[in-house]
C-alpha cells in the first residue's frame, strides 16, 4: 500500500514484513506489502518485541518466529504476554484451552478488545461461541507472520464491535518465492506430540531480486498440523487437526489473495477450583475422573451425590470443548495509481461446536431441574443408571462479511474511508443427555438423542461500521490526524425452545425475545505525531470507542440472557453500550552507538518507548453470578449491573538493548490503576465498589527477555512477574504476586539437507516449578472466586526444517 509510512488506519497487509530485519525497521512501517518471508541461515538476534514507528499511538509487534522460539504451536495471544501491559494467563503451556485462559490489557478484559486476522474480524473471544473464533483456531501458529498490539486504541478501520481497550491484529505469512517443504516436530512432557508440515509452490517466476514480486505471478502454500498432549493434572488428551491454504496472484497493479482455514479440535477441560471462607476443601487442582468409570460410579452415593466433604469442589466425570471451524476470505488490493488505492475483502465463517460436562445428577439444584421434566420418574435410571448426566451447550455460527477501504493522497493530506458489513446468525441450545452405566460416553464423542432441550436461542445480528480519517502533513516532521467511525448494530434474538417453569434458576418461565438496535454515529479520534531531528517520535492520541451489546442467548452478559421479558424491555429502554474515552501520549526512539560508550560497555543500540494513558470507561456492565458458586452446573440467568464509570491510569515502558550481534535484552514494565467510580445496587442493597480496583488486573507487570547466540547456538531466558490481583468486585479477596522463568534454546544443525535450514529446539517452562493461580474467574461482589492453577515445569524438544 502507498501510505504505510503515514500512520493511517491501514489494511492488514500494510503491516507486513516485521520479521524481515526487524531491528532496522523499528521506527518504520514496512514499505512493501508483497515482500515474501525471508529465510535466514544465521542466528537471529533482532529484538523479539518490535516498537512500531510512524504511529500516533502505542503499537508493539511480535514476530511469528518468536512464538515458535517460546514454544512451537503457542497461541498468538499468549505470545503477547511478553509485551508491556499485557497479562495472559492459562493452565496449559500453549494457552490453547479456551475455558481456562484470561487476558487483560490496561484493565480491559479479553471480551473488551478487538481481534482480526488479515483484517477479518475474529469476534470478542467469548468462551461460548457466538460471533467469532480464537486466533489459534483461525490460523496455524507456525503460519503467523506477526502480531500487532494497539494497547490504547485500535485503528478506526479495525473490524470489531468490542475494541474498547485496543486491538490485537494477527497476520499470516505469504507463500515463499522458492518452492520447498518445511516441517516441525515437537515432543515433550505429558505425551506431547505436535507435527507440522507445509508445502510452498514457489513463485511462477522463480528468480527475482526486487523487493516486490513481478507482475503476473502466483504462488500458494498448503500446511497441516496435528497436535496431541495430555493434560498435566487429569487424564485427557487435548488437541486436534488444522489445515491452512493460501494463494496469491500478482497482476500489474493488483494483488489477489485467497485464504482458507479448517480447524477441528476437542479439548477436555479441568474444572475451576471454588474458593471462599465457608469452603473447607479447596484443592490446588480439580481433576475429572475420566476414564476410570468404575471409580466415577463409586465416587457417588446411590442417589448420584458426590461426597459431602468435597462441597462445590466435587469431581465431574469429564468436561470438554469441541469446536469445528471453516474460515475463508478473498481479498483484492488495487493500486490505482501512485496516489490512490482501493482494497476489498469478503469472508465467510462457519462454526459447529459444543461444550459438554458429565456431572453428578445429585448436586444442588439438579434434582429440582430434572423433576420439572420427569416429575414421577427415578432420575438415576432415567439418565442411564450411572448417577451422571451430560449437559451440553451446542453452538452454531454462520457469518459472512465485506470490508472495503479507499486511500488517497492529495497534497499534504492523506485520507482514508471505509466500510465493514457483517451478517451473523448464531444459535445456542442447552441440552441434557443420559450417561449410560454400561456404555459411557467419552469426551471425544458427540452425544445424541437428548432427554431434555432446556432452551434454544437463535439470534440474527447485522453490523454496519463506517470510518473516515485524514492525516495532514503540516510540516515534514509534524502530522495531525483526525477522523471518526460509526458503529451500528441491528440484533434480533428469539427462543424457539423456551424453558419450562422451574427449569431456570430464579423462576424464569420465558427467556426474553426482541430487537435491540444501537446506533453510534460519531466515535471521534484525534492524534498528533512529531518527529525530532534525532528521529525520536512524540505522539498523543485521543479516541472514543464502544462495545456493542453481546448477542448471546441465556448465558453471559447479554440482554437476551435476562430472566424475563420485563427485564429485557427495561434494559432496552435504559441501557447504553459500554464506551471508553482514551487519552494516550508517549515518546519512542532508537539509537545506534559506535563511540566510547560502545567501546566501554559493548552496547551498540537501544530502542525504547514510554507511554502514559488515561481512560474514562462509562456504563461498565458487570456480570454477577446468580448462584453462590460462580461456575455452577445449575446456572440461572446472570445479573447485569451497571457500575457506572471506571477510571484507568497507567504507564508502559518498553526497552531493548543490543550488544552487537550476539546479545539483546528486552524489558517491559507497566503500572495500571483501574478503579470503579460508583457503587451499584443489588436489589435494595448497596455494594461498595466505589474506589475499588478492577479485579483480575494486576497493578504491576514486568517482563524481561535475554537473548544470546554463539555461532549455531541461540538461547533465550524470559522472566515474568505478575503483581497481586484482586479476586472480587469489592476487593476483599486477592491473589498474591508470582514470578515465572522460562528458558528456550535453538541449535542450527550442520546438515546440508533442505538448504541447511535444520534446527533443534528445546524449551523449559516454569523452570523454578512455581505453583499458584494462573487464571482468575471473577463473578461475585465478595466472599468467593474460582481459579485455575499454574502449570508445573514442563520440557519440550523439537526439530524444524525448511524455515
Amino acid at each position: 500500500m502507498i501510505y504505510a509510512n503515514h500512520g493511517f488506519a491501514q489494511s492488514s497487509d500494510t503491516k507486513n514484513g516485521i520479521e524481515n530485519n526487524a531491528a532496522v525497521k523499528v521506527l518504520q512501517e514496512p514499505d512493501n506489502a508483497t515482500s515474501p518471508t525471508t529465510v535466514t541461515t544465521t542466528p537471529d538476534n533482532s529484538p523479539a518485541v518490535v516498537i512500531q514507528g510512524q504511529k500516533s499511538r502505542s503499537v508493539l509487534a511480535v514476530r511469528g518466529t518468536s512464538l515458535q522460539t517460546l514454544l512451537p504451536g503457542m497461541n498468538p495471544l499468549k505470545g503477547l504476554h511478553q509485551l508491556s501491559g499485557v497479562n495472559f494467563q492459562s493452565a496449559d503451556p500453549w494457552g490453547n484451552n479456551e475455558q481456562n485462559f484470561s487476558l487483560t490489557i490496561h484493565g480491559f478484559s479479553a471480551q473488551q478488545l478487538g481481534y482480526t486476522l488479515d483484517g477479518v474480524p475474529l469476534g470478542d473471544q467469548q468462551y461460548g461461541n457466538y460471533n467469532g473464533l480464537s486466533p489459534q483456531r483461525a490460523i496455524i501458529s507456525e503460519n503467523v507472520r506477526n502480531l500487532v498490539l494497539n494497547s490504547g486504541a485500535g485503528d478506526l478501520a479495525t473490524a470489531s464491535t468490542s475494541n474498547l481497550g485496543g486491538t490485537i491484529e494477527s497476520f499470516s505469512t505469504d507463500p515463499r518465492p522458492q518452492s520447498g517443504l518445511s516441517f516441525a516436530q515437537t515432543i515433550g512432557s505429558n505425551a506431547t506430540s505436535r507435527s507440522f508440515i507445509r508445502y510452498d509452490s514457489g513463485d511462477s517466476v522463480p528468480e527475482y531480486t526486487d523487493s516486490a514480486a513481478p507482475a503476473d505471478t502466483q504462488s500458494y502454500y498448503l500446511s497441516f498440523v496435528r497436535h496431541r498432549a495430555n493434560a498435566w493434572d487429569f487424564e485427557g488428551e487435548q488437541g486436534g487437526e488444522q489445515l491452512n491454504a493460501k494463494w496469491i496472484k500478482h497482476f500489474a497493479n493488483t494483488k489477489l489473495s485467497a485464504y482458507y482455514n479448517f480447524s477441528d479440535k476437542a479439548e477436555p477441560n479441568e474444572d475451576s477450583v471454588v474458593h471462599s471462607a465457608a469452603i473447607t476443601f479447596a484443592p490446588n487442582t480439580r481433576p475429572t475422573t475420566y476414564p476410570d468409570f468404575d471409580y466415577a460410579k463409586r465416587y457417588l452415593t446411590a442417589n448420584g451425590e458426590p461426597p459431602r466433604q468435597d462441597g462445590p469442589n466435587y469431581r465431574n466425570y469429564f468436561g470438554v470443548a469441541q469446536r469445528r471451524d471453516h474460515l475463508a476470505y478473498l481479498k483484492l488490493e488495487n493500486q490505482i495509481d501512485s496516489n490512490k488505492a482501493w482494497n476489498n475483502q469478503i469472508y465467510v465463517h462457519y462454526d459447529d461446536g459444543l461444550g459438554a460436562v458429565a456431572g453428578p445428577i445429585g448436586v444442588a439444584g439438579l434434582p429440582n431441574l430434572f423433576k420439572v421434566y420427569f416429575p414421577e420418574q427415578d432420575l438415576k435410571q432415567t439418565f442411564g443408571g450411572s448417577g451422571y448426566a451430560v449437559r451440553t451447550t451446542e453452538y452454531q455460527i454462520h457469518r459472512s462479511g465485506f470490508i472495503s477501504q479507499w486511500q488517497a493522497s492529495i497534497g499534504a493530506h492523506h485520507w482514508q474511508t471505509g466500510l465493514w458489513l457483517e451478517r451473523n446468525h448464531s444459535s445456542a441450545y442447552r441440552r441434557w443427555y443420559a450417561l449410560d452405566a454400561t456404555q459411557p460416553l467419552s469426551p471425544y464423542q458427540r452425544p445424541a438423542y437428548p432427554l431434555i432441550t432446556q432452551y434454544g436461542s437463535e439470534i440474527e445480528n447485522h453490523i454496519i461500521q463506517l470510518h473516515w480519517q485524514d492525516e495532514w502533513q503540516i510540516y515534514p516532521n509534524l502530522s495531525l490526524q483526525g477522523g471518526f467511525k460509526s458503529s451500528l448494530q441491528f440484533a434480533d434474538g428469539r427462543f424457539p425452545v423456551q424453558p419450562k417453569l422451574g427449569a431456570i434458576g430464579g423462576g424464569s418461565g420465558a427467556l426474553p425475545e426482541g430487537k435491540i438496535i444501537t446506533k453510534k454515529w460519531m466515535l471521534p479520534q484525534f492524534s498528533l505525531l512529531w518527529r525530532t531531528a534525532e528521529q525520536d517520535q512524540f505522539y498523543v492520541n485521543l479516541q472514543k470507542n464502544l462495545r456493542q451489546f453481546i448477542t448471546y442467548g441465556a448465558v453471559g452478559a447479554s440482554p437476551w440472557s435476562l430472566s424475563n421479558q420485563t427485564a429485557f424491555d427495561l434494559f432496552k429502554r435504559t441501557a447504553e453500550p459500554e464506551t471508553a474515552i482514551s487519552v494516550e501520549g508517549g515518546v519512542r526512539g532508537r539509537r545506534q552507538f559506535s563511540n566510547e560508550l560502545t567501546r566501554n560497555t559493548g552496547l551498540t543500540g537501544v530502542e525504547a518507548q514510554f507511554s502514559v494513558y488515561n481512560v474514562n470507561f462509562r456504563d461498565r456492565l458487570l456480570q454477577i453470578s446468580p448462584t453462590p458458586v460462580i461456575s455452577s452446573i445449575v446456572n440461572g440467568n446472570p445479573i447485569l449491573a451497571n457500575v457506572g464509570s471506571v477510571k484507568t491510569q497507567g504507564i508502559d515502558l518498553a526497552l531493548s538493548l543490543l550488544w552487537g550481534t550476539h546479545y539483546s535484552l528486552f524489558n517491559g514494565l507497566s503500572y495500571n490503576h483501574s478503579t470503579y467510580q460508583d457503587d451499584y445496587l443489588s436489589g435494595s442493597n448497596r455494594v461498595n465498589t466505589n474506589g475499588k480496583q478492577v479485579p483480575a488486573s494486576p497493578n504491576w507487570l514486568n517482563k524481561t527477555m535475554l537473548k544470546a547466540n554463539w555461532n549455531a547456538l541461540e538461547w533465550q531466558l524470559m522472566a515474568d512477574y505478575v503483581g497481586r490481583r484482586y479476586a472480587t468486585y469489592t476487593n476483599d479477596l486477592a491473589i498474591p504476586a508470582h514470578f515465572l522463568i522460562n528458558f528456550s534454546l535453538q541449535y542450527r544443525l550442520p546438515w546440508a539437507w533442505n538448504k541447511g535450514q535444520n534446527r533443534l529446539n528445546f524449551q523449559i517452562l516454569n523452570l523454578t516449578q512455581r505453583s499458584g493461580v494462573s487464571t482468575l474467574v471473577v463473578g461475585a461482589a465478595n466472599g468467593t472466586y474460582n481459579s485455575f492453577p499454574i502449570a508445573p515445569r514442563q520440557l519440550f524438544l523439537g526439530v524444524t526444517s525448511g524455515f
Side-chain angles (χ1 to χ4, degrees):
M1 296 311 300
I2 57 179
Y3 303 125
N5 287 337
H6 295 296
F8 267 33
Q10 299 161 351
S11 64
S12 60
D13 276 351
T14 62
K15 300 184 180 73
N16 193 359
I18 288 177
E19 76 227 50
N20 300 330
N21 198 9
V24 175
K25 296 190 176 182
V26 167
L27 292 183
Q28 300 175 2
E29 287 292 328
D31 295 320
N32 181 15
T34 61
S35 60
T37 300
T38 58
V39 178
T40 60
T41 59
T42 58
D44 178 16
N45 198 48
S46 58
V49 177
V50 181
I51 299 170
Q52 289 288 90
Q54 311 301 338
K55 285 285 193 176
S56 57
R57 55 177 64 87
S58 171
V59 183
L60 298 174
V62 176
R63 297 174 298 147
T65 51
S66 295
L67 298 179
Q68 309 316 311
T69 300
L70 294 171
L71 181 62
M74 177 176 285
N75 176 359
L77 295 182
K78 184 168 185 177
L80 291 176
H81 181 75
Q82 61 190 295
L83 301 183
S84 302
V86 179
N87 179 36
F88 182 97
Q89 300 293 328
S90 65
D92 76 294
W94 295 271
N96 284 337
N97 189 289
E98 297 172 31
Q99 183 201 39
N100 63 43
F101 93 82
S102 67
L103 173 65
T104 59
I105 299 177
H106 291 176
F108 290 98
S109 69
Q111 288 73 44
Q112 294 163 336
L113 306 171
Y115 307 82
T116 63
L117 170 67
D118 294 341
V120 174
L122 301 181
D124 69 356
Q125 306 305 299
Q126 293 275 347
Y127 173 61
N129 288 18
Y130 80 97
N131 76 338
L133 71 168
S134 58
Q136 71 268 28
R137 282 194 277 135
I139 184 171
I140 296 173
S141 179
E142 287 83 350
N143 291 331
V144 173
R145 184 177 71 234
N146 58 282
L147 304 167
V148 177
L149 170 66
N150 297 270
S151 58
D155 288 335
L156 294 178
T158 302
S160 171
T161 60
S162 57
N163 60 325
L164 274 176
T167 59
I168 297 171
E169 301 170 280
S170 306
F171 300 96
S172 63
T173 57
D174 282 352
R176 300 186 180 113
Q178 295 84 25
S179 64
L181 191 69
S182 54
F183 69 85
Q185 176 64 50
T186 301
I187 59 174
S189 297
N190 304 306
T192 291
S193 176
R194 182 178 177 87
S195 306
F196 168 81
I197 189 168
R198 167 169 159 165
Y199 171 72
D200 284 83
S201 69
D203 204 276
S204 56
V205 179
E207 298 296 333
Y208 61 88
T209 58
D210 296 335
S211 60
D216 299 323
T217 64
Q218 62 179 345
S219 57
Y220 68 88
Y221 67 74
L222 299 171
S223 64
F224 175 80
V225 70
R226 179 185 183 274
H227 183 97
R228 295 289 188 276
N230 289 341
W232 61 268
D233 59 341
F234 67 99
E235 292 294 328
E237 186 180 69
Q238 300 174 330
E241 288 77 38
Q242 195 168 3
L243 171 71
N244 285 174
K246 190 173 184 180
W247 171 80
I248 290 180
K249 172 71 174 178
H250 292 278
F251 302 95
N253 296 304
T254 304
K255 176 184 176 183
L256 181 63
S257 306
Y259 174 83
Y260 171 71
N261 167 79
F262 170 72
S263 172
D264 186 13
K265 72 173 189 175
E267 290 183 343
N269 296 319
E270 71 263 52
D271 293 307
S272 60
V273 177
V274 185
H275 302 266
S276 82
I279 294 175
T280 58
F281 176 64
N284 182 51
T285 64
R286 191 181 161 195
T288 55
T289 58
Y290 176 86
D292 192 343
F293 194 52
D294 289 336
Y295 171 77
K297 289 186 289 186
R298 294 195 306 270
Y299 177 71
L300 303 181
T301 68
N303 295 323
E305 298 175 352
R308 182 166 298 180
Q309 63 269 22
D310 285 1
N313 286 310
Y314 63 86
R315 299 175 67 178
N316 289 311
Y317 179 54
F318 69 75
V320 67
Q322 300 178 13
R323 302 285 190 269
R324 177 172 289 184
D325 293 276
H326 299 266
L327 177 70
Y329 71 73
L330 184 67
K331 180 190 294 185
L332 182 66
E333 299 168 275
N334 187 18
Q335 191 79 41
I336 298 173
D337 58 34
S338 60
N339 293 317
K340 301 182 188 69
W342 190 20
N343 299 338
N344 291 281
Q345 185 175 22
I346 58 174
Y347 63 89
V348 293
H349 171 220
Y350 171 72
D351 171 81
D352 182 26
L354 65 82
V357 178
I361 63 171
V363 295
L366 274 186
N368 293 333
L369 165 64
F370 294 151
K371 286 294 184 181
V372 172
Y373 293 90
F374 306 107
E376 304 297 332
Q377 297 184 28
D378 183 291
L379 294 179
K380 184 174 181 179
Q381 294 306 313
T382 299
F383 282 91
S386 65
Y388 291 88
V390 179
R391 189 202 75 179
T392 67
T393 308
E394 300 172 21
Y395 316 96
Q396 281 196 349
I397 300 173
H398 296 81
R399 285 195 305 149
S400 58
F402 171 69
I403 302 171
S404 182
Q405 295 179 15
W406 174 277
Q407 301 182 34
S409 178
I410 303 174
H413 293 270
H414 312 285
W415 60 270
Q416 182 190 76
T417 187
L419 168 71
W420 168 43
L421 304 174
E422 180 176 278
R423 180 260 183 186
N424 177 23
H425 186 96
S426 62
S427 64
Y429 283 76
R430 171 62 53 84
R431 295 188 171 108
W432 296 84
Y433 298 82
L435 189 66
D436 190 87
T438 57
Q439 294 181 320
L441 192 74
S442 86
Y444 313 106
Q445 296 173 296
R446 184 151 187 160
Y449 310 112
L451 297 178
I452 299 170
T453 299
Q454 191 176 351
Y455 56 79
S457 68
E458 300 281 346
I459 299 182
E460 183 85 10
N461 190 26
H462 296 263
I463 297 294
I464 301 175
Q465 185 169 292
L466 312 167
H467 78 275
W468 176 91
Q469 67 180 29
D470 175 51
E471 183 186 14
W472 179 21
Q473 199 77 34
I474 304 173
Y475 298 105
N477 64 339
L478 182 64
S479 60
L480 176 67
Q481 181 177 296
F484 71 93
K485 74 174 180 181
S486 303
S487 181
L488 294 79
Q489 177 169 287
F490 305 83
D492 187 4
R494 305 293 165 179
F495 283 85
V497 179
Q498 287 281 5
K500 290 186 176 182
L501 184 63
I504 295 287
S508 174
L511 294 168
E513 298 184 318
K515 297 180 180 180
I516 294 182
I517 298 174
T518 309
K519 300 177 183 179
K520 296 294 181 181
W521 290 101
M522 181 58 66
L523 298 169
Q525 181 255 337
F526 300 97
S527 61
L528 189 72
L529 179 64
W530 174 46
R531 309 167 188 84
T532 69
E534 292 80 15
Q535 295 303 306
D536 294 326
Q537 297 177 10
F538 292 84
Y539 59 89
V540 63
N541 187 69
L542 169 65
Q543 191 163 337
K544 184 177 182 179
N545 281 324
L546 94 158
R547 180 196 189 196
Q548 292 281 11
F549 294 130
I550 293 173
T551 57
Y552 191 81
V555 294
S558 163
W560 287 273
S561 300
L562 294 170
S563 60
N564 54 62
Q565 193 67 41
T566 301
F568 176 87
D569 293 339
L570 177 63
F571 183 95
K572 179 178 178 179
R573 290 194 307 269
T574 60
E576 292 289 336
E578 296 176 329
T579 59
I581 299 176
S582 304
V583 181
E584 178 186 24
V587 59
R588 53 180 167 245
R590 180 174 187 265
R591 294 288 188 276
Q592 288 184 318
F593 306 115
S594 58
N595 51 23
E596 185 176 351
L597 179 65
T598 299
R599 290 190 295 272
N600 293 334
T601 66
L603 187 67
T604 57
V606 59
E607 304 162 3
Q609 176 174 273
F610 176 79
S611 62
V612 181
Y613 57 89
N614 181 86
V615 182
N616 287 314
F617 185 178
R618 299 177 180 175
D619 296 306
R620 177 75 177 253
L621 290 177
L622 293 187
Q623 179 183 336
I624 302 167
S625 173
T627 61
V629 178
I630 294 170
S631 297
S632 173
I633 189 85
V634 189
N635 68 288
N637 299 94
I639 301 168
L640 298 184
N642 188 323
V643 294
S645 299
V646 175
K647 188 171 184 178
T648 295
Q649 297 173 323
I651 59 172
D652 287 336
L653 174 64
L655 177 68
S656 289
L657 303 177
L658 304 175
W659 286 271
T661 59
H662 293 290
Y663 301 95
S664 69
L665 175 67
F666 170 81
N667 185 264
L669 175 66
S670 59
Y671 172 77
N672 175 270
H673 186 66
S674 298
T675 56
Y676 299 114
Q677 301 299 292
D678 302 281
D679 295 337
Y680 72 90
L681 293 176
S682 176
S684 60
N685 297 320
R686 179 175 291 274
V687 180
N688 298 317
T689 51
N690 186 8
K692 305 300 183 181
Q693 289 206 78
V694 172
S697 181
N699 285 125
W700 289 99
L701 293 168
N702 187 258
K703 326 292 176 62
T704 302
M705 182 178 294
L706 176 64
K707 291 179 63 177
N709 66 72
W710 299 279
N711 297 322
L713 185 66
E714 176 182 322
W715 61 265
Q716 184 170 278
L717 188 69
M718 182 175 178
D720 173 27
Y721 172 80
V722 176
R724 186 177 67 161
R725 293 167 286 166
Y726 287 106
T728 64
Y729 300 133
T730 59
N731 297 171
D732 66 318
L733 298 175
I735 301 300
H738 68 252
F739 182 78
L740 301 179
I741 298 177
N742 300 324
F743 174 80
S744 68
L745 181 146
Q746 289 190 76
Y747 177 71
R748 190 176 71 255
L749 298 169
W751 303 339
W753 182 77
N754 214 1
K755 302 179 181 179
Q757 299 301 310
N758 306 292
R759 292 175 182 264
L760 191 67
N761 309 290
F762 178 64
Q763 289 87 18
I764 306 178
L765 304 185
N766 195 359
L767 183 65
T768 58
Q769 191 76 320
R770 174 64 191 261
S771 61
V773 171
S774 62
T775 299
L776 273 175
V777 183
V778 180
N782 54 59
T784 184
Y785 66 93
N786 288 29
S787 72
F788 292 95
I790 295 173
R793 182 191 302 122
Q794 299 183 65
L795 285 71
F796 301 94
L797 178 67
V799 62
T800 64
S801 180
F803 68 100

